[in-house]
Each structure stands twice: as C-alpha cells, then as structure tokens.
Amino acid sequence: MNGIMNGEMMQGTMMQGMGWMILCLLFALLLFAVIVLILMAILKYLRKPD
C-alpha cells in the first residue's frame, strides 16, 4: 500500500518536472529567436549604405 502511494507521488513530481523542463525549453527557444531577429536587424541596418 505504502509503496504504491510512493510510486504515484514520484510519477506526479516527474510529470511536473517534465512540464517545467518543456516550459524552460520553450522560453529559451523564444529568447533565442528574438536575439537572432535583433542581430539580423542590426546587421541589415549596418550593411545599409548611408
């Protein structure tokens, strides 16, 4: 009985951890995309002759 309860608890925390990991990955990807866009804009601006 106690073992089953413990297993369920572990599974719950695992699922929660996965969710946090996915959220962190998505946030990192978003940040990366924003940085790339900004760099591209800066490069385009610098490359543009006055």
Side-chain angles (χ1 to χ4, degrees):
M1 190 71 182
N2 199 17
I4 293 162
M5 284 290 287
N6 203 16
E8 277 177 21
M9 281 285 288
M10 283 289 287
Q11 210 168 15
T13 48
M14 279 278 286
M15 286 289 287
Q16 213 170 8
M18 282 283 287
W20 274 112
M21 257 176 59
I22 290 162
L23 271 173
C24 284
L25 278 170
L26 281 172
F27 187 70
L29 277 171
L30 193 73
L31 207 67
F32 182 71
V34 168
I35 288 164
V36 167
L37 282 169
I38 289 166
L39 280 173
M40 277 173 68
I42 288 167
L43 282 173
K44 201 180 287 183
Y45 180 74
L46 286 174
R47 214 177 289 163
K48 188 173 65 178
D50 290 313

